[in-house]
């Protein structure tokens, strides 16, 4: 496993994985529909990482359901606009923007993937739409590069 990037800290999250998150971001946890949702918030600029296990059979299926479910799909959000969509054999990603009633215009990168132990997870990076997309994506990129389930051998 590579060393931790400058400005990041390696955490062994009690939910069951190791991940690098930006220094100074605060952790909260809430129970989601199927699993705990761990949230790391940036106190300074409104960025956020959400990490949770997904129940669907594939990352693509999970992302499609999250986007399009008639009851809660994020495609129903005001101002919803797809910015980019990509996928591979073991992952799927959707970048989009929407208008949050409390936080204003937001950009999101929702990445769903198969971890080293075969478990499926999602990591969502969000931030104000006014921020450069690279600033919103960077914590996600670092989290994905360092993500390792507990008791699993990772590269």
């Amino acid at each position: 496993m590579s060393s931790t990037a400058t400005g990041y800290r390696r955490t062994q999250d009690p939910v069951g994985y190791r991940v690098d998150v930006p220094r100074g971001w605060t952790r909260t946890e809430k129970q989601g529909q199927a699993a705990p949702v761990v949230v790391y918030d940036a106190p300074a600029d409104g960025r956020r990482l959400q990490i949770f296990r997904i129940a669907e059979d594939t990352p693509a299926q999970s992302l499609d359901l999250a986007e399009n479910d008639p009851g809660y799909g994020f495609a129903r959000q005001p101002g919803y606009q797809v910015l980019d969509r990509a996928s591979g054999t073991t992952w799927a990603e959707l970048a989009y923007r929407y208008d949050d009633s409390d936080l204003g215009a937001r950009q999101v990168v929702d990445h769903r993937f198969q971890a080293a132990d075969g478990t499926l997870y999602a990591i969502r990076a969000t931030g104000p739409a006014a921020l450069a997309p690279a600033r919103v994506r960077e914590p996600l990129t670092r989290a994905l590069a360092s993500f390792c389930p507990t008791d699993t051998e990772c590269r």
Side-chain angles (χ1 to χ4, degrees), residues 4 16-17 20 25 40 56 59 79 87 105 132 137 148:
T4 307
Y17 47 79
D20 291 356
W25 286 30
Y40 289 95
E56 293 77 21
S87 63
R137 179 178 285 280
C148 186

Side-chain angles (χ1 to χ4, degrees), residues 4-118:
T4 307
T6 302
Y8 284 75
R9 64 187 170 89
R10 179 148 297 160
T11 65
Q12 184 62 53
D13 199 278
V15 169
Y17 47 79
R18 180 180 68 229
V19 66
D20 291 356
V21 296
R23 289 190 188 284
W25 286 30
T26 56
R27 181 194 184 278
T28 56
E29 180 183 328
K30 66 180 185 200
Q31 184 58 43
Q33 193 172 8
V37 177
V38 174
V39 178
Y40 289 95
D41 281 303
D45 64 7
R47 288 180 297 159
R48 167 181 284 177
L49 276 179
Q50 293 174 287
I51 306 171
F52 52 94
R53 206 172 63 243
I54 56 178
E56 293 77 21
D57 293 335
T58 68
Q61 181 186 42
S62 176
L63 193 55
D64 182 62
L65 184 64
E67 181 182 16
N68 298 305
D69 183 274
Y72 65 85
F74 41 70
R76 301 176 66 218
Q77 295 282 347
Y80 178 76
Q81 177 185 357
V82 173
L83 303 174
D84 193 27
R85 188 185 306 268
S87 63
T89 310
T90 60
W91 62 276
E93 182 177 284
L94 176 65
Y96 64 96
R97 69 158 315 281
Y98 73 101
D99 299 320
D100 185 280
S101 57
D102 295 326
L103 302 172
R106 304 284 290 170
Q107 57 180 309
V108 180
V109 181
D110 189 323
H111 188 96
R112 299 182 185 225
F113 65 102
Q114 183 176 341
D117 67 351

